[in-house]
Structure formats: C-alpha cells, structure tokens
Amino acid sequence: MNIDEQHFKRLLDAYLRGSATSEEKKLLDDFFETYPELHRPSASADPATREVIWRQLATNLPTRAPQGKGRTLLTIGYSVAAALALFAVSWFLIARFSRDSPAPAVAQLRQAVTDRGQKLKIELLDGTQVTLNANSKLEFPEQFQGDVREVYLTGEAYFQVAHDAAHPFIVHTPVANTLVLGTSFNVRLTPDSSAEVTLVEGKVDVDGVILKPNQQAIARSHGEPVHVRDVDVAAFVDWKDNILRFDNMPLAEAVTVLENWYGVEITLDDALVACPISATYRKETLKNVLNSISYTLKITYRQDGNKIVLQGHGCK
C-alpha cells in the first residue's frame, strides 16, 4: 500500500466518522456541492465495504507522489480535482455496497426461487455453486461485471465460491453482508430476522468480523455487534445433502423446518411448543418423521392432505 492510498484511507474514514478536520471536510463537501445529484453519506461504510474500496483505489492511485511544494492534503502537490475524482470512485463503491442500497441497476438480475418442499442447485458463470434451500430466493447477474461478484439472498443457501482473489464475492442479505474470496459456507435468515453465517472452510468477513472454519456468526440487525460461536457445522449444512437434523431444537422451530422441507402446514398444541427434539433423518418420508417424533415425545398427530395437527399434553 503506497502513501497516497494511506492518506486517502485516513481521510475517507475520518470524513465518514465525523472526525475530519475542517480543511479535509471542506475538500469532500466541495465535491458534493459540485455534484448535487449525489447524496451525502450519512453513515460510515462497514469494514468489508471499505476493504473493497481500498483494493479498488490501489489500481487508481499513482505509485509516487508528485514532487515539489503545494498542498499537503492527500499527497504533496496533489490537486483538489484529483482528490475529488478519487473520492468519486470511493463514494460510488460505498453506495454500491451499502447494506441499505438496492441491487445495482447496471446489470439485469436473474432470480432463482424455491417453494416449500423444494431445493435447487445452481452454478453461476464464475463456477460458484449454490444450493438453495426451500422457501428461498437468490438474485444474481447473468454475468458478473466490475471488481466484485454480488448476489442477494433471502432464505437459506449453501455456497461453494470459486476462488478469485481479484474479484471478491459478496452475499447481501437484509441483515448482514458476507465478503469472501473462495470458500464454502452457509447463510440462513432465521425466523427472528437474524442472519446465520456458518463457515465450513476458507475465510469470510461478516460485517467486519472474520470467521474461521467451524465458526458461526450471528448478525441480528444493522449496527449491532456480530456474535461468533464455535459450532458443529454439519448441523447447519447437512440439509443440502437431504439430511434433516434437529439438535435439541424446540418443537415449534422444528415444525417450521418440516413445513419448508415437505411443503405442508403444521399446527401444534401450545403445550408442545417448547418440547425439545434431537434426531437425524436421512431422506426419510414425512410419515416416518412424524411417527418418530410422535413416539419420542409421546404425542399424536392427524393429517388431512397437506395439513397436520400435533397434539399432546406436554413434554414426556
């Protein structure tokens, strides 16, 4: 990293965090006055976003500062016009990668959608393989353009990202962004609107928090700290191999999984909501799963088409 890039990084961070000097702030304020069609940033970019910006700047900044006396802001003798041009590049990237920004309109996005009871395997043009779980949606460009590869997920998906260090891969969700170079991981949006990112191999950045294999990041909402814990990754990725696992899961949560898995609607007595279930099912029919759960919890069920009712007096 050269000195120009270092100076610009400090300037951009200071401006976004509100700690820039009056001279630095005026320089960047002047840019927005020059281009009134752009909106001033109101919040700082997350670390993953800034890291992409620094990589982009590395290809735009000169390797040596001009010689002679002049302004000390950014580099000696560097003109205000050049500084503003650099900021224009950075602000474009911030707007593009912001969690609050919509999908870019430059490239037409395609959609892969699954209903309850469905799973779908997709191979993107860069070689990345995605397994989309039931009741999920993935938006992606037909062909990746520019310096990053971006997709947009709701629901749950398992990613095996094709390695390309020059073009980071970003999975956007309503709760968190995951930045990777090449790795295998699972992303799931939970019923309580949290995002779970489970790393199988490689390394990922979840809103500035680096994960190691066999770790899971839980992001609950914008601005809140990302929680990291060690997990048995099989419990979170076996679904892609049609293995259904419940690890001390409350029955109410297990019912949601079963509804998506088999495409049915299940109701249960209030007394059963918190009953824990631990079991593993490999390519089992719904009938076998229901019989197993009924035997384990000492409950009964009745089925009418795709509607199922679980009944019991509590956990046995």
Side-chain angles (χ1 to χ4, degrees), residues 50-200:
R50 291 201 299 269
E51 184 59 31
V52 175
I53 292 174
W54 312 147
R55 275 195 288 269
Q56 176 69 15
L57 286 173
T59 64
N60 289 278
L61 290 168
T63 56
R64 293 187 303 137
Q67 301 298 317
K69 296 183 179 181
R71 295 181 184 269
T72 58
L73 188 57
L74 289 180
T75 60
I76 298 175
Y78 218 87
S79 69
V80 171
L84 295 177
L86 289 173
F87 186 78
V89 173
S90 298
W91 173 237
F92 167 77
L93 289 169
I94 291 173
R96 186 177 181 186
F97 299 127
S98 171
R99 286 176 296 185
D100 298 326
S101 65
V106 176
Q108 184 67 34
L109 294 180
R110 301 181 62 185
Q111 290 188 356
V113 181
T114 54
D115 293 327
R116 286 180 171 181
Q118 296 180 335
K119 295 183 182 67
L120 180 64
K121 290 189 176 182
I122 311 162
E123 181 168 338
L124 306 181
L125 286 183
D126 68 336
T128 293
Q129 296 182 8
V130 184
T131 304
L132 198 62
N133 206 349
N135 200 24
S136 301
K137 180 176 71 174
L138 183 72
E139 295 181 286
F140 56 94
E142 186 169 351
Q143 185 169 0
F144 291 114
Q145 300 176 356
D147 296 315
V148 294
R149 299 169 288 168
E150 297 176 276
V151 299
Y152 300 81
L153 173 69
T154 55
E156 182 173 13
Y158 181 81
F159 294 86
Q160 293 175 284
V161 177
H163 182 77
D164 184 351
H167 300 87
F169 192 98
I170 300 178
V171 179
H172 295 276
T173 73
V175 180
N177 297 333
T178 302
L179 172 69
V180 303
L181 298 178
T183 188
S184 299
F185 62 100
N186 194 79
V187 180
R188 171 178 176 253
L189 296 180
T190 64
D192 66 353
S193 299
S194 298
E196 291 179 352
V197 181
T198 307
L199 182 61
V200 177

